[in-house]
Amino acid sequence: MITTELLHKIAHLARLDVRPEEEASMLGSMNDVLTWMEQLNEVDTEGVEPLTHISPENNVLRDDVVMNQLPREQALVNAPQQDGQFFEVPKVLE
Amino acid sequence: MVADTPRSSDVQTRYEAVIGLEVHCQLLTHSKMFAADTNAFGGEPNTHVSVITLGHPGTLPKANRQAVEYAVRIGLAVGSEITRHNVFARKNYFYPDLPKGYQLSQDKGPICVGGTVPITAKDPVTGESYQTEIQLHHIHLEEDAGKSIHDGSDWTTQLDYNRAGTPLIEMVTEPCIRTADEAGQYLTEVRRLVRYLDICDGNMEEGSLRCDVNVSIRPVGATYLGTKVEVKNLNSIRNVMRAVDSEIQRQIDVTEAGGTLIQETRTFDASTGLSAGMREKETMNDYRYFPDPDLAPVVISDAWLADIEAAMPMLPSARLARFTDHYGLPAYDATLLTDAKELADYYEETCAALPTDKISPAAYKAVSNWIMGPVKGHLNEKTLRDRQFPVSASQLAALIGLVLNETVSQTAAQQVFTLMLTNLETSPADLAQQHGLIQNRNTDALQTLVESVLAEWPDKVEQYRKGKKNLLGMFVGEVMKKSKGSADPKLVNQLVVKTLQ
């Protein structure tokens, strides 16, 4: 059961602002999702390893070779704020 | 706040510390953990980056095979159980140094489980050495974050993502460490191990090996765990030990004063030896780990595991055995030479470069004497790291060869060695030639010198003949002086004795 308190916590962890008038409908849909997922509890999973990936592929590995680097101008081009060398964000520490 | 000064021991003996270490090692791969941009240290800001490292939408990470193998290597070295089915997980949190909004790590099923690191530590009270084993909880693989620069600009935090995505192993001990010395010895051993395994350069100043400590205290004899405090920002083994001692003392002081310890993260200031509480980022960390759907599981088969094991560099213990058995060195020499991998490598390279007709146990011991003596002496003097020693193994071998075939005397060889340090391009033989240090074995020339010396000291010759045989050394010394050190002292000795008969 998702409570208003839990909704605020989840919103904070995701850095989302939820307006008070949106809370009721959000609580409704989140609880609907949970109820829907609860149907899975009917399946007996005793002794079944948790499934982490749908694809049967394993060991999709890369050899240790340097390639595909970005030039700095290109790396910085979409940054909201940058100084030609660094990405810049509002000061984290005082 | 408590400085790292010793306190009265009666209070301290009523408490014991419970310490756990988390050690992060940056792996020495060419490229990053999940992307192909370079893993080279440093570089101009934001030049070692790729679209994957920067977390652009639609990019697909792929794990670096070499990094996986390095993690298995350390696991095999410490006797961990190797997890065969590995899954990478997303550890979600927001911080500007983490471009994707999550760190790729391992949550359930770290690649290495358990293991032990044997150490020799000193009892803080009795000063006696004892052997113990530090138990590992696990070792897992993950990626490093970027670097935040807070003091580069007045209004902003600057981000450099060169380090983002660097492959890391995190080695987590059980809370089984009891003293600062044990913590220091463990860290020393881990650093030696990763260097021997060629998986990390172990440089704490540059941050390629980092250590956080978890400390709690409890009354001696108690079995519960006290409130745990994490101390970060420790950039040397010495500072880890200082931080442990200072934190134990702080916790004892708070407890003795009737206060309550809070679970927190503190940062250590090496200049004062004090730690300070850090402002918590969030009330409670909730990382919401889940398996990364973009990264396929890494399955380590028996065959792959066997290949990794076969490619393992020799461990310190095996190296020590080789030095005593193969080279016939005394245990003292072998221990000293194998303490650091660079020095052990240098020893073996020098032995391999000796003139083939001079190879013998005596020659192996001579190499050891040279390295433990003049080479280490030079390193201590210049406080250079072993690997930065300027004289190559083949040059040192050539010099030792000159001594072994009696081209230069042991004394003259010391002078040649000093010359070699600043004349890296010139061969030891040429240097000896240029500076007149080739041993003079010309009997006729030396006989002339012997006779002129004896002529200068008629009264001493008289005393010698009357039985004052210890004057021999003085005559030899005078002849050596006249030859400017180039004479072969053994030959001079024989000539003096013969002439005085």
Side-chain angles (χ1 to χ4, degrees), chain B residues 51-371:
Chain B
V51 285
I52 297 175
T53 296
L54 295 176
H56 282 270
T59 54
L60 193 62
K62 241 186 192 185
N64 183 335
R65 182 191 311 274
Q66 184 75 78
V68 173
E69 294 186 352
Y70 282 174
V72 172
R73 222 183 242 189
I74 181 81
L76 291 172
V78 298
S80 303
E81 190 185 319
I82 306 300
T83 301
R84 299 310 189 91
H85 187 92
N86 288 276
V87 171
F88 291 102
R90 294 185 181 182
K91 178 180 178 178
N92 297 281
Y93 65 95
F94 288 110
Y95 201 75
D97 62 11
L98 199 65
K100 297 190 291 296
Y102 56 85
Q103 179 190 24
L104 285 165
S105 182
Q106 290 189 292
D107 177 31
K108 297 184 174 62
I111 190 159
C112 310
V113 178
T116 52
V117 176
I119 58 160
T120 305
K122 263 201 176 75
D123 186 296
V125 180
T126 65
E128 271 170 48
S129 288
Y130 60 95
Q131 311 220 315
T132 185
E133 280 184 338
I134 304 303
Q135 307 292 324
L136 292 176
H137 182 269
H138 75 263
I139 303 169
H140 70 256
L141 259 174
E142 61 184 26
E143 59 176 345
D144 210 342
K147 218 170 223 169
S148 309
I149 296 138
H150 300 291
D151 52 9
S153 125
D154 285 346
W155 309 107
T156 63
T157 290
Q158 299 176 311
L159 277 311
D160 173 9
Y161 292 116
N162 284 354
R163 196 181 67 182
T166 290
L168 291 178
I169 48 167
E170 179 173 342
M171 304 177 70
V172 182
T173 71
E174 296 285 357
C176 62
I177 297 169
R178 294 287 171 265
T179 66
D181 189 56
E182 284 187 4
Q185 294 301 330
Y186 165 74
L187 202 52
T188 305
E189 200 51 40
V190 165
R191 186 173 63 177
R192 190 157 89 111
L193 213 49
V194 295
R195 283 178 173 167
Y196 261 91
L197 293 170
D198 271 331
I199 63 171
C200 171
D201 68 17
N203 186 333
M204 291 188 77
E205 294 81 48
E206 287 178 0
S208 49
L209 190 144
R210 307 195 284 268
C211 180
D212 301 332
V213 298
N214 288 295
V215 180
S216 65
I217 56 164
R218 62 186 177 194
V220 170
T223 50
Y224 65 86
L225 292 173
T227 304
K228 179 176 83 174
V229 171
E230 183 174 18
V231 187
K232 286 178 178 287
N233 192 28
L234 306 168
N235 64 356
S236 71
I237 292 176
R238 187 173 158 263
N239 283 338
V240 167
M241 296 169 68
R242 289 172 70 201
V244 166
D245 273 336
S246 132
E247 183 56 26
I248 293 172
Q249 193 58 58
R250 189 189 70 85
Q251 293 188 12
I252 291 176
D253 288 351
V254 170
T255 310
E256 286 287 311
T260 311
L261 293 162
I262 52 165
Q263 185 166 345
E264 61 175 339
T265 301
R266 300 177 71 85
T267 176
F268 184 73
D269 181 344
S271 61
T272 59
L274 300 171
S275 67
M278 289 166 81
R279 199 147 31 111
E280 287 302 298
K281 279 180 260 176
E282 287 186 12
T283 43
M284 254 282 275
N285 286 328
D286 183 350
Y287 294 125
R288 294 148 295 144
Y289 283 99
F290 67 89
D292 187 299
D294 290 341
L295 284 163
V298 174
V299 178
I300 299 167
S301 65
D302 288 348
W304 190 10
L305 191 61
D307 285 348
I308 299 170
E309 199 158 11
M312 287 268 283
M314 211 182 258
L315 290 173
S317 55
R319 207 73 186 272
L320 185 69
R322 178 174 160 79
F323 276 43
T324 51
D325 302 347
H326 177 76
Y327 295 108
L329 294 179
Y332 176 82
D333 297 42
T335 306
L336 215 133
L337 291 171
T338 57
D339 184 46
K341 179 174 187 283
E342 294 79 22
L343 207 62
D345 287 346
Y346 188 68
Y347 175 81
E348 294 216 59
E349 283 163 28
T350 306
C351 287
L354 284 173
T356 41
D357 60 324
K358 292 293 170 201
I359 288 172
S360 67
Y364 289 150
K365 176 65 177 127
V367 175
S368 170
N369 291 345
W370 271 95
I371 293 179

Side-chain angles (χ1 to χ4, degrees), chain A residues 53 59 62 64 69 72 91, chain B residues 31-32 38 45 150 295 299:
Chain A
H53 293 73
N59 293 352
R62 190 171 49 76
D64 186 21
Q69 296 204 140
R72 181 159 68 190
K91 212 162 183 73
Chain B
S31 63
K32 291 186 178 171
T38 180
H150 300 291
L295 284 163
V299 178

